[in-house]
Amino acid sequence: MDRPKGSGLHRFVVAVAAVLLLACQPAFAEKRVALVMGNSAYQNVAALPNPVNDASVMASTLKAAGFDFVDFRRDLSAVETRRALREFGDHARDADIAVVYYAGHGIEVDGANYLVPVDARLERDTDVYDEALSLDRLLVAIEPARKLRLVILDACRDNPFAKSMKRTLATRAIGQGLAKVEPTSPNVLIAYSAKAGSTAADGDGKNSPFTLALSKYLPTPGLDVRRAFGYVRDDVLKTTNNRQEPFVYGSLGGEDVSLVPAPAKPAPVAAAPAAAAPTPQSEARRDYELALQIGNKSAMNAFLAQYPSGYYASLARLQLEKFAAEDARVTATEKARIAEQERARLVAEGAQKTQQAKAEADAKAAEQARLAAEQAKQAAQDQAAAAEQKRLAADKAAAGQAAAAVPPPAPADKTTTVAALTAGSPQADIVKSVQTELRRVGCLTTAADGDWNAASQRSLAQFNRYAGTRLDARTASLDTLDAVKLKQSRVCPLVCEHGYRADGDRCSRIVCAEGSFLNDDNECEKRREKKPAAKRDTDDRAPRRERALRPEREPPAPSAAMPRPQASASARSEADRDRGKIVCDNTGCKPLLHGCHIEYRGGGGVPTYAGVGNVQVCN
């Protein structure tokens, strides 16, 4: 059946617009309002140097971009923050675009995000409900805006209250940075300076890298806000050496939405040549590409309502299966998280063993269901990707065959849209993003160059080993990127060479103190002092030689005392011979005195004092 020219495309665009509730207004009639808040002078923790400077830059940027109303507030208390949001909600009631920018401290408690006023104390984890402002309160303030509701948070800094904050419940989680959000209202975008679960740099200068990139790209006339945030992401990654990656949550419709309208195009001087009528196949292709760019179930269902059969209908159903598998994975992951929390709570409270065993079994079953959902999603993802590759190859071949014929041009305002849709995200960008995430979790040491080489494949295999996943290491896909992004901290262990030790996410050289050395165990050990030890020399020839070479000892100096008479050599020999003998005279017998000897002087008989017989002679 023949269709009117362009009727299929028109009806499809109307259907998608109805699903997404996108109110299209003329660019010149749009009303744009903004609330800019910066908190630096915190009263109970250390002050932040840059948030007020960042807020001032954003306020000036939005005013220069022609916003109808820009409210700049600084160093707000809790009461002042609520009052500012209430007043801004009145300005957003008749606005097409409403923007809220906040710079300062933010905190995540049990998966909910809160902005911290300057007078907050947060002594307990439950104080956030009374002293902080939830992210939902900001969404309420911008809810009346018709075309775009944008929240920008430069608040992913380290939580200064975490160390002193008391936990009232052991299972209450207080995360790092901000938690992931899924806006439930249409036309809502929430931009983080760093992705969920990570922290952002405050900047070495007066402004943060995130705010500098925002002021550079957001006010570009006619630039779609999603593409602008893509440029902001690339700029911040480059500035921070891939340590900080901004992230945007939420979705918009298929048409470009810019903060600053594009300049009006001059009227054509001559009528354009008549274009050939598009074929039903080309209309289905363009409509399918539009639904693929929107990338949600509502768009695909709208496409199937318009094209219930055919080649592109089959492709749309594959995409729906992929979305269903992703929803099942998210549900299974949430159930596994809740089951694990319940198991941990029962263990912490010392519940009965039967309850603990049941909770552990439930947690194990939920984890198995999560793994099964991961595998199902991977299979659906691979199937849809393979079908897309075949479609692109077929379209390329058909385009080459029709190069000689007159191409069927689309209207001028549609040409840009179709070109943007078919371009999509290059595979090199996906590979580079996966490499960047693998570097963040410590599994890739080389640069993120967009080349999925052997080193990148080994890094993904190492990620599978330590994360317990089964991702295909031969290729980098969006599913791989999502799986790696789920890990909030290092996965692969840091391995340092000898002489270096792990210092956070890098290896630092080990410097030992004076008097110590680095041993084989990569530890500093105190050097032992060498003490002299006495050794017994069994060979006494050397000492004898030394004694032979010594000079003769000098005779002792003469003493002042009376010299003792020395016996002659012959007398000394006789004394030695007679030692121990007894001498007798007419007075009796007595031992021979020391140094004396017996001398016979003739006469016979008993020795007398007359000097005859055996006489004791002492010299």
Side-chain angles (χ1 to χ4, degrees):
M1 182 179 64
D2 295 336
R3 296 179 180 173
K5 298 178 181 179
S7 61
L9 178 63
H10 175 72
R11 288 196 300 270
F12 175 66
V13 171
V14 171
V16 173
V19 171
L20 300 179
L21 300 178
L22 179 61
C24 299
Q25 300 293 336
F28 61 87
E30 289 179 351
K31 179 181 178 181
R32 297 168 294 163
V33 297
L35 171 63
V36 180
M37 298 178 289
N39 287 344
S40 287
Y42 282 89
Q43 301 172 9
N44 301 301
V45 292
L48 293 174
N50 285 347
V52 169
N53 298 334
D54 295 336
S56 178
V57 169
M58 284 303 302
S60 301
T61 299
L62 297 177
K63 288 179 181 178
F67 269 58
D68 300 279
F69 174 76
V70 178
D71 187 9
F72 175 35
R73 305 290 185 95
R74 55 182 294 170
D75 295 330
L76 298 175
S77 63
V79 174
E80 293 170 341
T81 306
R82 293 186 177 92
R83 184 180 299 114
L85 291 172
R86 184 170 58 249
E87 295 174 357
F88 180 70
D90 296 335
H91 290 279
R93 293 188 185 281
D94 57 348
D96 297 281
I97 296 177
V99 180
V100 173
Y101 171 90
Y102 171 80
H105 275 308
I107 184 174
E108 179 257 317
V109 177
D110 269 350
N113 299 311
Y114 299 87
L115 310 183
V116 182
V118 295
D119 60 343
R121 292 184 178 274
L122 302 186
E123 296 176 350
R124 296 172 295 274
D125 50 9
T126 55
D127 290 347
V128 295
Y129 308 126
D130 303 318
E131 301 180 14
L133 277 297
S134 69
L135 177 59
D136 293 337
R137 181 64 185 88
L138 272 66
L139 298 177
V140 170
I142 63 175
E143 189 175 9
R146 293 184 289 268
K147 186 175 182 180
L148 174 63
R149 306 156 189 172
L150 176 60
V151 175
I152 304 174
L153 300 179
D154 194 356
C156 304
R157 296 172 171 84
D158 288 328
N159 177 13
F161 301 92
K163 294 182 180 179
S164 60
M165 184 182 293
K166 297 179 180 179
R167 305 292 182 92
T168 59
L169 188 62
T171 57
R172 180 171 287 116
I174 300 177
Q176 183 183 31
L178 299 179
K180 181 180 178 181
V181 292
E182 292 294 344
T184 57
S185 301
N187 309 330
V188 175
L189 290 181
I190 302 175
Y192 286 1
S193 58
K195 62 185 175 182
S198 60
T199 57
D202 207 28
D204 298 329
K206 293 179 60 178
N207 299 106
S208 70
F210 180 62
T211 297
L212 289 177
L214 287 175
S215 63
K216 180 179 179 181
Y217 295 109
L218 280 186
T220 304
L223 181 62
D224 182 70
V225 65
R226 291 159 292 192
R227 187 174 294 274
F229 278 112
Y231 293 146
V232 168
R233 168 193 173 274
D234 296 341
D235 205 61
V236 173
L237 280 173
K238 182 179 179 180
T239 303
T240 61
N241 293 326
N242 295 326
R243 291 192 300 270
Q244 176 181 338
E245 180 185 5
F247 220 83
V248 179
Y249 301 92
S251 63
L252 299 179
E255 293 193 5
D256 289 349
V257 180
S258 59
L259 292 186
V260 180
K265 297 181 179 179
V269 295
T279 64
Q281 186 73 3
S282 64
E283 288 182 0
R285 179 179 63 84
R286 285 195 298 268
D287 292 352
Y288 172 76
E289 290 174 343
L290 178 59
L292 190 64
Q293 177 69 11
I294 295 172
N296 56 33
K297 292 190 293 185
S298 299
M300 287 297 169
N301 285 326
F303 174 82
L304 287 174
Q306 185 66 33
Y307 302 94
S309 61
Y311 173 66
Y312 290 99
S314 300
L315 294 179
R317 291 188 178 91
L318 288 178
Q319 294 294 330
L320 284 176
E321 291 178 3
K322 185 182 73 172
F323 295 146
E326 170 62 13
D327 292 342
R329 184 195 67 81
V330 172
T331 302
T333 302
E334 181 64 18
K335 289 183 178 179
R337 185 185 67 82
I338 295 175
E340 178 61 24
Q341 287 185 351
E342 178 65 15
R343 185 196 65 79
R345 183 186 66 83
L346 292 175
V347 172
E349 294 178 356
Q352 296 180 358
K353 292 185 178 180
T354 55
Q355 294 179 336
Q356 294 187 25
K358 182 178 181 303
E360 186 172 357
D362 293 342
K364 185 176 181 180
E367 179 63 18
Q368 292 176 350
R370 185 191 68 81
L371 293 176
E374 287 277 1
Q375 295 175 357
K377 179 196 170 184
Q378 181 68 35
Q381 173 76 20
D382 294 342
Q383 188 177 7
E388 274 301 298
Q389 291 178 358
K390 293 181 180 179
R391 180 186 72 83
L392 293 175
D395 290 346
K396 185 176 180 180
Q401 294 175 0
V406 178
D413 57 342
K414 293 295 179 182
T415 303
T416 302
T417 304
V418 172
L421 293 177
T422 55
S425 299
Q427 181 65 20
D429 291 344
I430 297 177
V431 171
K432 191 172 182 180
S433 299
V434 173
Q435 289 175 331
T436 301
E437 289 299 315
L438 289 173
R439 282 179 57 87
R440 180 184 62 82
V441 298
C443 298
L444 180 64
T445 57
T446 59
D449 53 5
D451 181 17
W452 193 251
N453 50 27
S456 301
Q457 295 178 18
R458 285 195 300 268
S459 67
L460 184 54
Q462 191 178 19
F463 176 85
N464 286 335
R465 173 186 175 188
Y466 290 102
T469 56
R470 297 181 179 179
L471 303 172
D472 186 3
R474 294 171 295 178
T475 181
S477 63
L478 290 174
D479 197 46
T480 300
L481 181 61
D482 293 339
V484 182
K485 282 183 177 180
L486 291 175
K487 304 300 179 182
Q488 305 298 336
S489 58
R490 171 179 285 275
V491 173
C492 299
L494 180 62
V495 179
C496 300
E497 298 179 356
H498 185 268
Y500 293 81
R501 65 161 57 95
D503 184 9
D505 290 335
R506 60 189 182 90
C507 295
S508 299
R509 182 183 294 276
I510 301 175
V511 179
C512 297
E514 185 177 358
S516 301
F517 68 98
L518 189 68
N519 59 20
D520 294 338
D521 295 332
N522 217 34
E523 297 178 351
C524 290
E525 181 177 344
K526 189 175 182 181
R527 196 181 303 276
R528 297 180 179 178
E529 297 181 359
K530 294 184 178 180
K531 297 181 179 180
K535 295 183 179 179
R536 183 173 182 179
D537 194 354
T538 57
D539 188 3
D540 59 349
R541 289 175 293 180
R544 286 205 303 269
R545 287 196 299 266
E546 292 178 0
R547 288 195 298 269
L549 294 177
R550 291 177 186 172
E552 292 294 336
R553 182 177 299 176
E554 297 181 358
S559 174
M562 181 68 68
R564 188 172 182 178
Q566 299 292 328
S568 61
S570 59
R572 285 199 301 272
S573 61
E574 293 177 356
D576 294 337
R577 186 186 61 234
D578 297 336
R579 183 176 302 167
K581 294 182 177 181
I582 297 176
V583 62
C584 298
D585 56 11
N586 54 357
T587 60
C589 295
K590 53 187 176 182
L592 187 68
L593 296 177
H594 179 70
C596 300
H597 65 279
I598 299 175
E599 183 177 329
Y600 179 72
R601 295 185 176 179
V606 179
T608 62
Y609 285 108
V612 294
N614 292 323
V615 180
Q616 180 178 228
V617 178
C618 298
N619 296 327

